[in-house]
Amino acid sequence: MPPMADIQGSYDGLFTAVPNRLAEMLDAGDTGGSVAVFVDGEPVVDVWGGFADAERTVPWERDTIVGVFSVTKTMTALCALVLADRGELDVDAPVARYWPEFAAAGKERVLVRHLLSHTAGLPDWDGPVEEIYDWASATARLVAQAPQWEPGSAAGYHSLTQGFLVGEVVWRISGRSVGEFFAQEIAGPLGADFHIGLAAEHDRRVALTVPPPGRDEEYAASAPGRGSTPAAGTAIRVRDGNSVAWRRAQIPAASGFGNARSVALVQSAMACGGTLRGVRLLSQAGCERAWEEQFSGDDRVLGMPVRWGLGYGLFGNTYGWGGWGGSMVMIEPEARMVVAYVTNQMREPADDNRGLEIVMSAYDGLVGLRA
C-alpha cells in the first residue's frame, strides 16, 4: 500500500524516497516530524507532516520547532570551530588557558580537543536536574570534578557535561554565551531558525516530546548500547525536556530547538567548505579540522564502538550526530549534502533506525542527481 500520511512541503522529484519514508513513519504511528536534505547549500527536500501534540489535534506546520537534544552538540561544536578558525581558540591548548579555575582537581592536562571529543573524563552529570538550568552552578560543579580517566586516553559520552565545558570556553573567549554567540555569528547571518536558549515568543511553535509507546513523561534517557542499564549520573526525563525551564536555559549539549530545515541549513556550512549563501563562517581547513579523528574504540558510556572528531561523530566518510528521541543530522562533504531529521516522537533506542533510514533514502536521490 502507498503511504497515507499527508506530507507538506516541497522536494526534487529525484528525492521522492525521502518524503515517502517520512510518510511511512507517520503511518506506523509516529506523531510528527520534519526532514530536510540540502545539496550545495540549497534544499532539495523540505517536508513535514503529522502533529505537534500528543493528542494529535495540532498539525505540524512549516515553522514548528522541536527539541533536538544531542543534535545541539553539533551547533555548539560549530561555535568552537569558528573561534578556532579565527585563531582565538587553540584546540591543542589546556582548557585552563581560557578557564583558569578549571585546572582544579587534577584537570590541568585536559585539552580543549578532549572536551570536543568526549575524552576529557568528565562524562557524568551528578547534580540535581534543577542545577543544569543555572550556568554558574553547573560550571562550578564541573570545576570541582576530577577526571574519571587520564584525559585523552579513553572516550565516554559527555551527554550533558560537554555543552557546559565547551560553552564556558566560548564564553571566556568571546564574552558571550553559546546561545548568544550562535545567534549572532551563525544562525543570524544564515537566517536559520535554530535556538540554544528559547525565548518565550517561540513557545507557541514548539512540538513537545512524546514518549515511546507505553511510556510516560517519567521516561528517562539511557545509553543505546547498554540495553536496560541506566546511564550513570542524574537521569533526564521527558518531562524535564518538555519543561519551560529547559527551553529557557542554555544547555548547549542538549537543549537546542529547531526544525529539519534549520539544522540542515546550519550544518551545510560544514558540507560546503565553510561558506554558505555568501556567508563565510570558517575556512575549508577549519571544516576539515572537525573531521580529524580524535578517538576510535569502545565508548565507556555508550557501550559501543565510536569514532570521534572535534564535536562530531565520524561514520565512514560522513559526519554528524543524533539526539535522544530520534532526531539526527548527517553531513556528506564529498557530495556537499546534509540530511536532517527531527521528530517529537520518541522510540526505544534499540528499536530506532529512523534517522539512518532517512539518510539512506536521501542517498537514493543523490545517485539520481549525479547520474
Side-chain angles (χ1 to χ4, degrees):
M1 285 181 59
M4 301 297 292
D6 184 22
I7 301 298
Q8 303 291 317
S10 59
Y11 55 93
D12 184 299
L14 292 172
F15 289 83
T16 303
V18 178
N20 284 350
R21 189 73 201 101
L22 178 61
E24 289 167 0
M25 292 172 179
L26 296 171
D27 286 345
D30 279 7
T31 306
S34 66
V35 179
V37 181
F38 278 48
V39 178
D40 283 325
E42 296 299 330
V44 293
V45 178
D46 181 6
V47 295
W48 57 92
F51 298 91
D53 63 326
E55 295 75 27
R56 304 185 182 223
T57 61
V58 179
W60 190 293
E61 304 283 1
R62 184 181 191 278
D63 70 343
T64 297
I65 56 177
V66 67
V68 298
F69 294 101
S70 286
V71 171
T72 313
K73 290 180 173 67
T74 65
M75 307 298 179
T76 299
L78 185 52
C79 294
L81 290 166
V82 166
L83 287 171
D85 197 58
R86 293 175 181 174
E88 297 177 48
L89 171 63
D90 181 356
V91 298
D92 292 313
V95 175
R97 175 186 296 179
Y98 308 103
W99 180 6
E101 304 92 317
F102 183 78
K107 297 191 296 299
E108 61 279 349
R109 292 191 303 278
V110 179
L111 308 181
V112 173
R113 68 169 62 252
H114 297 152
L115 306 184
L116 287 161
S117 59
H118 300 272
T119 60
L122 304 166
D124 298 332
W125 177 257
D126 57 9
V129 170
E130 293 72 26
E131 207 172 84
I132 65 174
Y133 306 138
D134 182 81
W135 190 270
S137 297
T139 52
R141 181 173 289 276
L142 291 169
V143 163
Q145 277 190 14
Q148 293 183 22
W149 59 80
E150 177 65 27
S153 68
Y157 187 49
H158 290 45
S159 60
L160 277 176
T161 58
Q162 189 200 42
F164 296 116
L165 296 167
V166 176
E168 182 70 11
V169 172
V170 169
W171 181 77
R172 295 286 177 130
I173 292 170
S174 71
R176 289 173 282 177
S177 68
V178 167
E180 291 167 341
F181 185 91
F182 180 82
Q184 294 168 10
E185 302 286 346
I186 298 172
L190 294 178
D193 184 17
F194 194 94
H195 313 263
I196 304 173
L198 192 70
E201 66 195 74
H202 300 296
D203 282 351
R204 60 171 183 80
R205 302 193 289 127
V206 172
L208 296 182
T209 298
V210 180
R215 302 281 195 160
D216 61 20
E217 286 210 323
E218 295 302 308
Y219 179 69
S222 62
R226 289 286 182 89
S228 60
T229 306
T234 304
I236 300 299
R237 300 152 298 186
V238 172
R239 68 181 175 92
D240 299 318
N242 279 340
S243 69
V244 172
W246 182 275
R247 294 201 289 276
R248 298 291 178 268
Q250 292 189 31
I251 309 165
S255 73
F257 282 80
N259 47 35
R261 181 188 316 111
S262 63
V263 172
L265 174 58
V266 171
Q267 295 300 331
S268 284
M270 296 299 288
C272 296
T275 300
L276 185 66
R277 299 181 175 180
V279 177
R280 185 183 185 278
L281 292 184
L282 67 173
S283 67
Q284 177 72 46
C287 292
E288 291 173 357
R289 176 186 284 129
W291 322 140
E292 294 172 2
E293 182 178 284
Q294 306 297 311
F295 177 85
S296 179
D298 288 337
D299 186 288
R300 292 187 176 195
V301 173
L302 297 179
M304 55 194 249
V306 296
R307 292 173 61 226
W308 288 118
L310 289 175
Y312 294 81
L314 311 183
F315 307 91
N317 295 321
T318 64
Y319 319 97
W321 198 240
W324 184 38
S327 297
M328 174 184 273
V329 63
M330 197 63 72
I331 304 161
E332 221 276 30
E334 183 184 339
R336 295 168 68 89
M337 180 174 78
V338 176
V339 183
Y341 165 62
V342 308
T343 179
N344 58 347
Q345 178 66 63
M346 290 186 156
R347 292 191 190 175
E348 300 286 356
D351 305 323
D352 195 356
N353 294 311
R354 291 171 295 173
L356 182 59
E357 291 167 5
I358 290 288
V359 170
M360 296 313 294
S361 66
Y363 272 103
D364 289 347
L366 192 62
V367 169
L369 200 63
R370 287 169 160 173

